[in-house]
């Protein structure tokens, strides 16, 4: 089994930056494709960014692709999300997710077998 724990969330003003981290225990990250999702109050969980397990290719939703950067360190079993130029619309609970599937549709939450409990990100105007 894999357990995922997110950290790094907090309150930040619009235009600011945060760095989120997700740490895994149990099995190594290396076989897994990894992703970050977020969920705003009253909204469905939405895909933010993913990173492939072997190629390291990254996939960003359009609204964050010039502001967010995902990275992984398989030796440390961590995946990070560097967020810059934050906007109020980025507010939500951010979740780390992992799957052994090579995603063709990264935004389909049902393909991810493991989820963290989330970390709150709040961006004020």
């Amino acid at each position: 089994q894999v357990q995922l724990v997110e950290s790094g969330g907090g309150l930040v003003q619009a235009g600011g930056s945060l760095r989120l981290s997700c740490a895994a225990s149990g099995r190594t990250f290396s076989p897994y494709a990894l992703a970050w999702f977020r969920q705003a109050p009253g909204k469905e969980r939405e895909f933010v960014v993913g990173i492939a397990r072997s190629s390291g290719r990254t996939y960003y939703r359009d609204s964050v692709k010039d502001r967010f950067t995902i990275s992984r360190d398989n030796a440390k079993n961590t995946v990070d999300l560097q967020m810059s130029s934050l906007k109020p619309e980025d507010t939500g609970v951010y979740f780390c997710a992992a799957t052994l599937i090579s995603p063709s549709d990264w935004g389909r939450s049902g393909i991810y077998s493991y989820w963290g409990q989330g970390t709150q990100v709040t961006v004020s105007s």
Side-chain angles (χ1 to χ4, degrees):
Q1 296 292 316
V2 174
Q3 296 81 44
L4 305 176
V5 180
E6 303 94 338
S7 63
L11 175 64
V12 64
Q13 287 186 274
S17 300
L18 284 173
R19 189 178 185 91
L20 307 183
S21 294
C22 175
S25 62
R27 296 184 60 185
T28 177
F29 260 170
S30 60
Y32 293 87
L34 303 168
W36 288 93
F37 285 72
R38 66 189 180 191
Q39 188 168 21
K43 303 293 185 180
E44 293 188 352
R45 191 172 299 182
E46 67 180 15
F47 172 78
V48 180
V49 60
I51 184 166
R53 60 188 178 187
S54 57
S55 69
R57 290 185 180 274
T58 55
Y59 304 86
Y60 295 85
R61 70 180 296 114
D62 288 343
S63 62
V64 309
K65 64 181 180 181
D66 295 322
R67 301 183 295 118
F68 292 10
T69 301
I70 189 172
S71 61
R72 67 188 294 169
D73 187 336
N74 289 336
K76 297 181 179 180
N77 276 353
T78 58
V79 57
D80 290 354
L81 180 63
Q82 177 65 49
M83 306 185 295
S84 300
S85 301
L86 283 162
K87 304 174 181 179
E89 65 194 76
D90 296 317
T91 293
V93 178
Y94 282 67
F95 299 89
C96 179
T99 179
L100 288 171
I101 298 171
S102 296
S104 57
D105 182 0
W106 286 82
R108 186 178 178 185
S109 61
I111 70 171
Y112 297 91
S113 300
Y114 302 98
W115 295 83
Q117 293 301 302
T119 185
Q120 177 70 44
V121 172
T122 303
V123 185
S124 62
S125 301

